[in-house]
Amino acid sequence: MEAGRRTEAGDCAGAGPVFTLEEVAKRNSSREAWLVIHGRVYDVTRFLEEHPGGEEVLLEQAGRDATESFEDVGHSSDAREMLKQYYIGEIHPHDRKKEGSKNPSMTSSGQSSFWSTWLIPVFGALVLGLMYRYYMSDGRTS
């Protein structure tokens, strides 16, 4: 481990060793494969050959945040339980802002999207209002 990049657990809620994303990024080969899921660092090197989806799937995610990919696959509760044995530490708090799943209402620049925040709900309300008026006026004429 690189002592300069690793800090003690006291920096991060006392959960375990703390690693930077830069340090995790260096562990992206079949000799040493680390990945991040929900801010926790896992050394999955021993699991590469046992992974049901094949080692390529893990190697593709090695060295980076695999939270989104892990959740997209829909792993079972057994898989989530098994993950605990590969836990080695946490991501440094400064790097937590850079990683993690993305908020769907945010654009790539980090700004809230006008479409998802305002335009779509307003359009939906207008459609509902027009439907209500149509059915209410139709009821009076029949």
Side-chain angles (χ1 to χ4, degrees), residues 44-63:
V44 294
T45 311
R46 299 181 328 237
F47 187 61
L48 289 175
E49 292 179 13
E50 301 170 27
H51 188 260
E55 70 180 75
E56 297 82 21
V57 174
L58 291 177
L59 288 174
E60 188 177 287
Q61 298 297 319

Side-chain angles (χ1 to χ4, degrees), residues 37-122:
I37 299 174
H38 295 297
R40 293 179 171 216
V41 181
Y42 299 93
D43 181 350
V44 294
T45 311
R46 299 181 328 237
F47 187 61
L48 289 175
E49 292 179 13
E50 301 170 27
H51 188 260
E55 70 180 75
E56 297 82 21
V57 174
L58 291 177
L59 288 174
E60 188 177 287
Q61 298 297 319
R64 59 190 186 131
D65 184 354
T67 303
E68 191 172 334
S69 298
F70 182 83
E71 292 301 336
D72 285 350
V73 171
H75 284 90
S76 67
S77 57
D78 289 341
R80 293 173 190 278
E81 187 66 29
M82 185 183 250
L83 199 57
K84 292 178 183 178
Q85 65 184 306
Y86 301 105
Y87 171 80
I88 58 171
E90 302 283 326
I91 282 295
H92 194 278
H94 295 300
D95 286 338
R96 286 180 183 262
K97 295 173 187 163
K98 298 176 189 172
E99 54 104 300
S101 55
K102 296 174 184 163
N103 183 343
S105 67
M106 300 298 266
T107 62
S108 60
S109 64
Q111 297 177 351
S112 183
S113 170
F114 174 75
W115 289 98
S116 62
T117 305
W118 294 104
L119 197 54
I120 292 173
V122 168

